[in-house]
Amino acid sequence: MSRQVWLLADWLAAKAPEWATGRLRGANVLLHGHCHHKAVFGGPASEIALLRQAGATVEPIQAGCCGMAGPFGFEADKFDVSKAIATTAFCPLSNGPAP
């Protein structure tokens, strides 16, 4: 079964390599790789490659956890912890002025 499961960016690169070309020309993207994605797949390299192929300028966010993994960030008793995690590095970048 593991050979039948794909990350979307990997599937597009393998099965439809020209699909993304030029679709995001001129777009600026801040990209935050999910912690689980970083741990299991080594990070968002495939997503970055796909976005760049689509014409976007990609800036990976050098932040730790966003505080939203699984249900953790949505549980009422963990809201303050989730908010504190996200506020340290993720939120200031995502809430900044538009390019």
Side-chain angles (χ1 to χ4, degrees):
M1 182 161 173
S2 67
R3 286 182 234 153
Q4 296 175 327
V5 176
W6 294 75
L7 295 172
L8 178 58
D10 292 339
W11 187 88
L12 287 169
K15 306 292 185 182
E18 296 304 316
W19 180 84
T21 302
R23 289 178 179 253
L24 295 175
R25 189 166 292 123
N28 295 305
V29 176
L30 290 174
L31 180 75
H32 180 258
H34 191 281
C35 298
H36 179 76
H37 191 188
K38 292 175 189 174
V40 175
F41 301 104
S46 297
E47 288 76 9
I48 291 170
L50 182 68
L51 288 164
R52 287 183 175 153
Q53 178 188 349
T57 299
V58 182
E59 181 182 342
I61 297 173
Q62 300 303 319
C65 183
C66 66
M68 298 296 290
F72 182 90
F74 297 102
E75 295 174 357
D77 64 327
K78 296 183 180 103
F79 178 77
D80 290 335
V81 173
S82 179
K83 187 175 174 183
I85 291 169
T87 300
T88 59
F90 181 70
C91 289
L93 292 171
S94 64
N95 292 332

